[in-house]
Amino acid sequence: MRSFWKELPILVIIALALALLIKTFLVQAFSIPSDSMQDTLQRGDRVLVDKLTPWFGSEPERGEVVVFHDPGGWLGESQTKSSGPVAEGIQKALSFIGLMPSAEEKDLIKRVIAVGGDTVSCKRGGKVMVNGKPLDEPYIFPGNTPCDEKPFGPIKVPEGRIWVMGDHRQDSLDSRYHQNLNNGTVSVDDVVGRAIVIAWPINRWTTLPVPSTFDQPGLGAAAAMAPSALGVAGALPIVLWRRRRLIAKVRTEAESRPERLTADC
């Protein structure tokens, strides 16, 4: 029994170290504080966020639900409500090991609609358009329109940035409402990770896959054309140079052929 009590502190330290490691590099739990992602996410849901993939150079993709740091003023000057020293202590302890978000952190959760190189727009009465392709968005909150309350675009998303929108379009201060700062786009460096599953409450457990509308053919055509265009532009001078050499060679042979015939005679 004594040996157990001697080893217990070591076991606790190891457990905390592993929890901190998982929180920092693998997954972290976040609580949903608002209705901006309804009906996909409800207020009070706990989601697990994949923080590992970005470490390997992966960037957010269209259709993913991502958590990101406030790019600057999106959350405004929100006041933190005091919940008492005991509750605050528990939250700090749980946030340290990744089971709850920190009260000091200002993070948001939205859906990625467009990525670097894309052109995104939406007219009143129409659908959200990405690179000229309309999105079919069954995840939008029932009764909402794609953008009637806030039409936008066309906006070209810079490389290394994303355009995000909430699923509850009429209750989400997303990229549409912050175009005074980087045209409403968010830097991929501010992205904490992708929300992959609703972990709590148990009766709402489900994964958060990318909707099929983001897999439609040609959606990424604009971005995909850029490397091809550069390849063609780079190859064109080489083709022209080889053609000039071929024409010059043919002319030289044509001019020398009569001389050879005369000598043969």
Side-chain angles (χ1 to χ4, degrees):
M1 182 64 69
R2 287 184 179 179
S3 61
F4 170 76
W5 290 109
K6 288 181 179 179
E7 293 176 359
L8 182 60
I10 299 176
L11 293 174
V12 172
I13 293 173
I14 293 174
L16 290 175
L18 288 174
L20 182 60
L21 183 66
I22 291 172
K23 170 198 171 182
T24 305
F25 298 104
L26 300 179
V27 295
Q28 184 176 357
F30 283 85
S31 176
I32 306 303
S34 70
D35 301 325
S36 68
M37 282 296 293
Q38 284 183 323
D39 269 344
T40 304
L41 300 174
Q42 302 291 343
R43 186 190 295 259
D45 282 352
R46 299 290 196 276
V47 297
L48 296 183
V49 174
D50 169 23
K51 301 176 68 176
L52 177 64
T53 307
W55 282 89
F56 292 95
S58 176
E59 294 189 353
E61 297 183 1
R62 306 178 194 90
E64 294 181 346
V65 177
V66 297
V67 171
F68 57 96
H69 299 310
D70 186 348
W74 282 37
L75 290 175
E77 296 297 328
S78 57
Q79 296 181 348
T80 303
K81 296 181 180 179
S82 177
S83 53
V86 176
E88 289 179 1
I90 293 174
Q91 180 174 13
K92 287 181 179 180
L94 292 177
S95 66
F96 177 76
I97 60 176
L99 296 180
M100 281 190 71
S102 170
E104 287 77 25
E105 290 180 354
K106 292 186 175 182
D107 297 318
L108 301 96
I109 185 166
K110 305 290 180 188
R111 189 181 298 277
V112 179
I113 301 298
V115 297
D118 290 343
T119 299
V120 60
S121 64
C122 185
K123 295 181 179 180
R124 184 174 283 107
K127 295 184 176 183
V128 174
M129 307 287 290
V130 178
N131 298 329
K133 297 289 184 178
L135 297 182
D136 179 22
E137 301 184 282
Y139 46 79
I140 291 180
F141 186 76
N144 280 193
T145 59
C147 70
D148 281 6
E149 71 287 351
K150 189 68 173 178
F152 62 90
I155 292 173
K156 181 68 177 270
V157 181
E159 294 295 337
R161 306 191 72 85
I162 55 176
W163 175 274
V164 298
M165 299 174 72
D167 290 355
H168 195 164
R169 295 290 159 83
Q170 293 178 218
D171 193 13
S172 177
L173 298 179
D174 45 42
S175 288
R176 297 169 294 166
Y177 292 88
H178 300 282
Q179 296 181 48
N180 59 318
L181 179 65
N182 295 308
N183 274 345
T185 62
V186 177
S187 171
V188 296
D189 293 335
D190 287 329
V191 176
V192 177
R194 174 188 174 184
I196 54 177
V197 64
I198 301 174
W200 187 265
I202 297 298
N203 63 339
R204 281 188 45 75
W205 188 94
T206 186
T207 58
L208 297 170
V210 173
S212 58
T213 188
F214 293 96
D215 295 327
Q216 61 177 298
L219 186 66
M225 282 176 62
S228 299
L230 289 174
V232 171
L236 187 59
I238 298 176
V239 172
L240 293 175
W241 175 72
R242 292 189 63 184
R243 184 175 180 182
R244 290 195 191 98
R245 287 197 62 186
L246 181 60
I247 293 174
K249 183 178 179 181
V250 171
R251 287 178 177 174
T252 301
E253 292 179 351
E255 291 173 354
S256 62
R257 190 173 298 125
E259 296 179 0
R260 289 199 300 269
L261 289 175
T262 304
D264 291 339
C265 292

